[in-house]
Amino acid sequence: LGKAELVDEDVYTGSVYFIGDSKLLYFKDVEDYEGDLYINGKNIDSDVYVYYSMIRYTDDTVYYVTDYDDEDGCGTLKMTTGKKGVKLYDDVHSFSLLPDGTVVFLYDYSDKHFTGELYYCSGKKAKKIDEDVSCIVSYSYVTSEN
């Protein structure tokens, strides 16, 4: 253990995560569950929905939602590896990361029918998998090495 070191001040303590061994993800200026996303003191993006970010630990990529609309439950899905966020898709209701590093997300979700279109994205282009999907069920997995 080393000496404690100040990373930042006025940090929102509700969501702070380690990314790998040396990066710290956190939020500042949070209001109505949205705030500014920081990684190691660097501002990545603003209007980030605090409770909807996921880290892909294989390459330290962070996926998150901005401009979240409470009425329709959708926002803009973005990603970052520590630089300014890159927009992937608008009108995303929910998303999940798969063990192989791909992303699945519900697009164009209807509050009237409680369904949307399921997409699979392993790069910059998403592929539609199905329609009338109501939710994405996330799971945890454990690997072991002999």
Side-chain angles (χ1 to χ4, degrees), residues 106-137:
L106 278 180
Y107 172 78
D108 196 24
Y109 191 82
S110 166
D111 282 338
K112 181 178 178 183
H113 297 95
F114 301 106
T115 61
E117 298 173 355
L118 181 65
Y119 280 80
Y120 173 88
C121 180
S122 61
K124 294 186 179 209
K125 191 88 169 163
K127 179 182 177 184
K128 185 174 172 180
I129 297 172
D130 205 352
E131 296 178 348
D132 298 324
V133 177
S134 59
C135 70
I136 298 171
V137 178

Side-chain angles (χ1 to χ4, degrees), residues 64-91:
Y64 59 96
V65 172
T66 62
D67 304 318
Y68 183 78
D69 185 345
D70 282 330
E71 287 186 33
D72 66 6
C74 295
T76 300
L77 179 62
K78 292 185 172 183
M79 64 165 285
T80 181
T81 57
K83 299 176 181 162
K84 288 291 181 192
V86 175
K87 177 180 165 181
L88 298 175
Y89 299 96
D90 286 321
D91 201 20

Side-chain angles (χ1 to χ4, degrees), residues 30-85:
V30 174
E31 189 173 308
D32 295 327
Y33 305 111
E34 290 186 333
D36 298 332
L37 172 64
Y38 285 80
I39 297 178
N40 279 4
K42 181 178 179 182
N43 181 276
I44 302 299
D45 213 331
S46 59
D47 297 322
V48 177
Y49 191 60
V50 173
Y51 296 114
Y52 215 172
S53 58
M54 296 182 185
I55 302 166
R56 184 170 67 195
Y57 291 101
T58 54
D59 61 3
D60 297 342
T61 302
V62 177
Y63 293 85
Y64 59 96
V65 172
T66 62
D67 304 318
Y68 183 78
D69 185 345
D70 282 330
E71 287 186 33
D72 66 6
C74 295
T76 300
L77 179 62
K78 292 185 172 183
M79 64 165 285
T80 181
T81 57
K83 299 176 181 162
K84 288 291 181 192

